[in-house]
Amino acid sequence: MTAIVRLENVAAEVGGRRLLSDVDLRVDAGEFVALLGPNGAGKSTLIRMLLGLHPVAAGRITVLDRLPAQARQDVGYLPQRRRFDPDLRVRASDLVRLGLDGNHWGFPLPFKRNRTAAERVSEVIELVAATAFADRPIGELSGGEQQRILIAQALVRRPQLLLLDEPLDSLDLPTQSSIAALLSDICTNQEVSIVMVAHDVNPIMSYLDRIAYLASGKAVVGTPAEVITGPTLSALYGTPIEVLHAADGSLVVVGQPEPPAVHSDRHHSDGHHHEYDRDPRRPHSH
Amino acid sequence: MIAAISLLHLISQPFLRNALIAGIAISLLAGLVGYFVVLRAQVFAADALSHAAFTGTLAALAAGVEPRFGLFAATIGVGIAIGLLGNHGRADDVVIGIAFAWVLGLGVLFISLYATGRGAGNGTASTATLFGSIFGLSSGQAQFAAGSAFVLILLLLGIARPLLFASIDEAVAAARDIPVRFLGVVFLGVVGATAAEATQAVGALLLLGLIAAPAGAALLITDRPFVGLAVSGGLATGSTVLGLLVSAQIPRVPPSFAIIAIATAAYMFTWLATTWCRRRG
Amino acid sequence: MNSFPSPHLSWNVVTDVRALLEYPFMVQAFRAGLLVAVLAGVVGWFMVLRRQSFAGHTLAVVGFPGATAAVLIGVSSTYGFFAFSVGAAIFISMLPNAGGSRSAESAVVGTVQAFALAFGFLCYTWYGGFATSIGALLFGSFLGITTSQVGALVVVTLLAIGLLAAIGRPLYFATVDPDVALANGVPVQALGTTYLIVLGLTAGAVSQITGALLVFALLVAPAAAAQRISVRPHISLAWSVGLAISIVLISLTLSYYYPYPLGTFVTTIALLTYLIVRVVRR
């Protein structure tokens, strides 16, 4: 069985600073893997390396047995983003369509309709349960609706791998769980592997096959039950950390040290800077 | 009937024929470019390019070179420069603003150099550059303007789809191997050339009207991007044709004012109509 | 190139200043320039802080049709600048907030600017006279400033600075942290409207010296430079006024001695000032 994604002794650098070293990770077909860790740990950088948009400082990355930049055709990507401008008057379905043929030169001829393309667009919109609002302007949609459209856009070219950067960011809890369920559904039914950056593991916990937890320049990879434990995280951070099981089944990590505040790996192209910390797993550090 | 005859009579006059040839091509270009300018929120950059158009023309006049050469060199050069610097300096409106006030200040210097050089201080050249003199185009100038506008339209339509993708969804477009940065630079070069074209028709200062108003209206009318593109081009062309005819009929109304006034009115009407429609459901 | 003799800088400050002030029109120009500089330094400081520089530019551009319309009906362009700039300020503040949609807002602003300039051009062609050149209205002039114009500038400066002094502290609060200010009972909306009117007055006043198109340089550059020099409001406000005064005085002096337009000097010195401050205070 060939690996969809293979990382061997990979190191990541941003602006000459080493963020991560010796990362080993293997993602197989149809697997759902989460990248966790504090701000600035290198999660988004790793995603960009998987897309071939960021150089690999050391080690080797292959995506679908190719160099990452050569595999982009078969990879769907959902960047960490701002929401669309509320006044952006472009239909949601047009956005999905751009995911299919937006890189073709020229412009669509008005008298020549491409039936297969149109069918694929409506098919994928139906898959993410977005048919009801697909013809409304993207800016008018709610955060969860926009996220469904963007997932459809990432899926429209039938990729074998989806790279999602915080797709649950700034959504309310019920929406988070419905999007998580949708992703898991895509994973199993469409035979698509998903690598997803997450800030909070709880909404996706039950669907995950594996977790790569990045912190202090290292990564720990394993099943959720192996990684989210006191001893593993304590060893990773080098300070005592406890994982508590709350009554509703969610996990609370206690004693996690503050992430290094000087650096953020978030891309600045989206024009948004989250200076504050929204990590719900870190209610009281003492 | 009488109106139709007088219209025919008007169009048979060479000054209006030249104006229509140049005006239709230039305003179609401005409308198409404007749609992307507004979508990409680059109206401020277009404004900056209109300043460069003014200074470029007058610099060429002061240096005794063909003014159109200075015009195109300045606008395309500044457009590409903004595109290259843009990613870093985009947020800093203050720098852009001060720098472009300075560009205009330079333009004023060139006016005075030109005026002293000619010994004439009436500023006709500067007024024509600022506010256009489309009825003064010779047939050769009109054909050049229309031909270059046509080439630019073809170039813009050639990059329309990936440019739309990059405008709406830059990060994903980049991951799809669209040369986002390159397209941005090419586009601003096209905007610069459009500013140079429009300067010949409505003047450097009124360029924004031909770029922003039809596109703003098109974005209100439709949310299908390529329909919007066509509507924007159509509105710009319509405003120009109507404006030229009105101005030819009523000589007290300068053509650039008539064109901008009609484009503005079309935008206002669209805004009122769409607001009214939305209120009613 | 010039056939007429032009004055030369002797670099003896006393002689030069005396020569400058020998002519009444230069005295008037310095009076008007000082008033405008103080006004621009103070009002521009708030404008940069509130990130309303594009609005300031628009208000100034709208002053141009005001000025040409005034000339057309035979009134001093001063009143036209003020009437249209302040009117536009009131109009803009009455518009419902566009909800932060950048693209639609910039399309509106661009259209309004172009229409204002086109309308000004229409009035100018109808006027057809030569008493007031279109270049002076767009790019500024220091020649022929009348006593009544200076008087109007005094009134406007006192009014604008008095208003700002009265609302300065809550306006600063409302600018820096509107949500908290609103919660503390600061009338954020009313302050914004008042400020925009003051900005309209200022744009109208500054237009008399720099012309409608170059107002931006004098409103933005000193304030932006000052805010880089100090983060303490009083100190940077003082720097802003000081820089604006220096820019205007130096420009007026240079344009007296050299046969180049005032607007070129103002914008060039403003740009240089800002760039130097930016390089020094990285």
Side-chain angles (χ1 to χ4, degrees):
Chain A
M1 184 162 153
T2 65
I4 301 291
V5 174
R6 201 196 303 267
L7 279 78
E8 289 160 6
N9 294 320
V10 167
E13 278 178 6
V14 171
R17 246 176 51 107
R18 184 150 291 206
L19 282 182
L20 285 169
S21 42
D22 294 328
V23 180
D24 289 292
L25 177 66
R26 183 192 157 101
V27 179
D28 288 321
E31 272 195 317
F32 192 171
V33 177
L35 300 179
L36 299 177
N39 283 347
K43 304 180 301 268
S44 296
T45 309
L46 208 55
I47 290 282
R48 288 173 60 76
M49 284 162 71
L50 288 175
L51 282 163
L53 294 173
H54 192 92
V56 181
R60 215 166 88 88
I61 296 185
T62 54
V63 176
L64 304 166
D65 290 327
R66 278 169 271 169
L67 283 175
Q70 287 158 7
R72 260 185 244 158
Q73 284 287 329
D74 299 309
V75 176
Y77 172 48
L78 197 156
Q80 182 187 46
R81 66 173 69 235
R82 50 166 176 74
R83 288 187 48 177
F84 286 99
D85 192 293
D87 216 67
L88 182 60
R89 304 268 308 157
V90 168
R91 287 182 310 171
S93 54
D94 288 316
L95 197 71
V96 179
R97 176 67 182 264
L98 282 173
L100 193 65
D101 59 10
N103 56 341
H104 295 187
W105 298 103
F107 64 103
L109 297 171
F111 45 83
K112 197 181 128 200
R113 298 234 178 275
N114 187 337
R115 205 167 285 277
T116 46
E119 270 167 16
R120 175 63 190 155
V121 168
S122 55
E123 182 184 302
V124 77
I125 284 173
E126 206 176 307
L127 180 72
V128 299
T131 312
F133 47 82
D135 279 337
R136 283 175 43 206
I138 184 83
E140 285 177 10
L141 302 183
S142 72
E145 288 168 342
Q146 289 190 7
Q147 214 55 275
R148 279 177 191 271
I149 292 295
L150 292 169
I151 292 169
Q153 189 203 42
L155 277 175
V156 72
R157 292 227 270 191
R158 304 180 198 277
Q160 289 177 267
L161 171 67
L162 274 188
L163 299 174
L164 313 174
D165 201 344
E166 299 215 16
L168 306 183
D169 195 29
S170 67
L171 299 178
D172 57 44
L173 282 175
T175 314
Q176 284 192 3
S177 49
S178 71
I179 299 277
L182 169 68
L183 291 175
S184 162
D185 188 54
I186 290 167
C187 232
T188 38
N189 294 334
Q190 310 286 316
E191 274 293 301
V192 176
S193 309
I194 296 183
V195 175
M196 163 175 164
V197 172
H199 221 76
D200 179 8
V201 71
N202 285 310
I204 45 172
M205 188 74 170
S206 54
Y207 307 116
L208 287 178
D209 295 304
R210 234 124 33 85
I211 286 177
Y213 202 109
L214 316 180
S216 320
K218 291 168 291 184
V220 177
V221 180
T223 63
E226 288 164 7
V227 175
I228 310 288
T229 63
T232 312
L233 293 184
S234 299
L236 188 61
Y237 279 106
T239 55
I241 285 172
E242 265 188 89
V243 175
L244 304 180
H245 293 260
D248 62 351
S250 65
L251 298 174
V252 182
V253 178
V254 183
Q256 185 177 345
E258 284 302 310
V262 286
H263 183 81
S264 166
D265 65 330
R266 292 163 183 247
H267 348 151
H268 295 279
S269 58
D270 57 16
H272 241 297
H273 303 266
H274 303 270
E275 303 292 347
Y276 53 92
D277 186 9
R278 297 157 290 110
D279 193 343
R281 285 167 297 139
R282 204 183 302 152
H284 306 289
S285 291
H286 278 283
Chain B
M1 189 61 199
I2 296 167
I5 290 171
S6 70
L7 196 66
L8 272 177
H9 174 68
L10 265 178
I11 293 175
S12 66
Q13 288 174 284
F15 82 93
L16 186 58
R17 207 173 43 227
N18 290 338
L20 281 172
I21 290 172
I24 288 173
I26 289 172
S27 54
L28 179 61
L29 172 67
L32 297 179
V33 166
Y35 185 80
F36 286 106
V37 168
V38 172
L39 201 64
R40 294 166 71 85
Q42 286 181 324
V43 174
F44 201 44
D47 196 9
L49 288 170
S50 69
H51 296 184
F54 169 66
T55 302
T57 309
L58 286 159
L61 282 174
V65 190
E66 159 71 37
R68 272 180 297 181
F69 177 73
L71 177 62
F72 278 94
T75 51
I76 297 176
V78 171
I80 290 175
I82 299 177
L84 290 176
L85 297 174
N87 275 4
H88 307 289
R90 185 185 188 121
D92 212 343
D93 277 4
V94 165
V95 182
I96 304 175
I98 299 173
F100 290 121
W102 177 68
V103 168
L104 272 184
L106 267 189
V108 184
L109 175 67
F110 293 133
I111 296 182
S112 83
L113 289 181
Y114 177 62
T116 30
R118 292 295 175 94
N122 59 15
T124 320
S126 77
T127 310
T129 312
L130 288 169
F131 297 105
S133 59
I134 194 167
F135 281 158
L137 290 180
S138 72
S139 113
Q141 283 169 326
Q143 278 161 14
F144 172 78
S148 49
F150 185 67
V151 172
L152 288 165
I153 290 170
L154 284 185
L155 176 61
L156 184 72
L157 289 180
I159 62 170
R161 186 160 27 196
L163 183 65
L164 179 73
F165 199 2
S167 307
I168 298 175
D169 209 345
E170 191 179 326
V172 177
R176 278 282 154 80
D177 283 330
I178 291 176
V180 172
R181 207 172 139 70
F182 173 73
L183 276 182
V185 174
V186 170
F187 177 65
L188 275 169
V190 173
V191 178
T194 307
E197 291 280 347
T199 300
Q200 300 170 54
V202 293
L205 286 182
L206 309 186
L207 155 75
L208 274 195
L210 217 44
I211 281 202
L219 280 164
L220 287 174
I221 290 172
T222 175
D223 45 23
R224 293 166 190 249
F226 291 102
V227 177
L229 190 62
V231 169
S232 178
L235 278 177
T237 314
S239 307
T240 300
V241 171
L242 207 57
L244 287 175
L245 292 178
V246 165
S247 176
Q249 200 67 280
I250 312 168
R252 272 172 66 80
V253 178
S256 42
F257 171 77
I259 294 170
I260 298 302
I262 290 168
T264 308
Y267 187 20
M268 261 177 59
F269 175 77
T270 313
W271 186 76
L272 289 174
T274 49
T275 314
W276 190 67
C277 285
R278 265 178 228 172
R279 285 242 174 95
R280 304 204 58 191
Chain C
M1 209 178 273
N2 286 318
S3 53
F4 54 89
S6 75
H8 288 287
L9 266 179
S10 66
W11 296 106
N12 177 336
V13 177
V14 179
T15 341
D16 285 340
V17 170
R18 202 169 281 159
L20 266 181
L21 299 181
E22 214 168 284
Y23 296 99
F25 77 86
M26 276 317 286
V27 177
Q28 295 287 36
F30 273 108
R31 281 184 186 147
L34 269 180
L35 288 167
V36 160
V38 172
L39 194 57
V42 174
V43 178
W45 187 80
F46 277 101
M47 185 182 85
V48 171
L49 200 67
R50 294 172 67 81
R51 307 194 183 286
Q52 287 185 321
S53 37
F54 205 48
H57 181 57
T58 308
L59 292 182
V61 165
V62 169
F64 170 69
T68 52
V71 172
L72 181 64
I73 60 171
V75 190
S76 161
S77 61
T78 308
Y79 302 112
F81 271 127
F82 283 128
F84 271 54
S85 292
V86 173
I90 294 171
F91 179 71
I92 290 178
S93 61
M94 282 192 331
L95 285 176
N97 202 332
S101 56
R102 286 182 311 156
S103 57
E105 202 177 275
S106 55
V108 172
V109 171
T111 309
V112 166
Q113 272 190 27
F115 181 73
L117 287 167
F119 182 66
F121 178 57
L122 178 76
C123 292
Y124 177 74
T125 53
W126 282 359
Y127 170 61
F130 293 99
T132 311
S133 91
I134 197 165
L137 296 178
L138 286 173
F139 301 116
S141 164
F142 64 101
L143 296 171
I145 293 172
T146 61
T147 317
S148 74
Q149 261 176 308
V150 175
L153 281 180
V154 170
V155 172
V156 165
T157 307
L158 288 179
L159 187 69
I161 294 201
L163 263 174
L164 268 191
I167 65 169
R169 193 198 303 261
L171 181 65
Y172 184 67
F173 190 13
T175 302
V176 177
D177 199 343
D179 295 337
V180 179
L182 194 62
N184 284 8
V186 175
V188 175
Q189 185 87 41
L191 284 176
T193 307
T194 313
Y195 176 72
L196 214 56
I197 293 171
V198 170
L199 185 59
L201 277 175
T202 308
V206 178
S207 298
Q208 329 248 323
I209 291 291
T210 63
L213 288 180
L214 304 182
V215 164
F216 208 86
L218 206 52
L219 272 179
V220 173
Q227 290 182 6
R228 283 200 162 246
I229 292 173
S230 175
V231 285
R232 286 194 250 177
H234 294 99
I235 296 177
S236 87
L237 191 55
W239 267 103
S240 176
V241 174
L243 288 175
I245 291 177
S246 326
I247 292 171
V248 169
L249 291 189
I250 295 172
S251 306
L252 278 174
T253 309
L254 286 177
S255 63
Y256 173 73
Y257 283 107
Y258 295 98
Y260 302 120
L262 178 64
T264 311
F265 287 119
V266 171
T267 50
T268 307
I269 296 171
L271 177 72
L272 285 179
T273 309
Y274 180 73
L275 288 181
I276 289 170
V277 169
R278 233 187 118 108
V279 169
V280 174
R281 315 276 307 193
R282 277 203 84 83

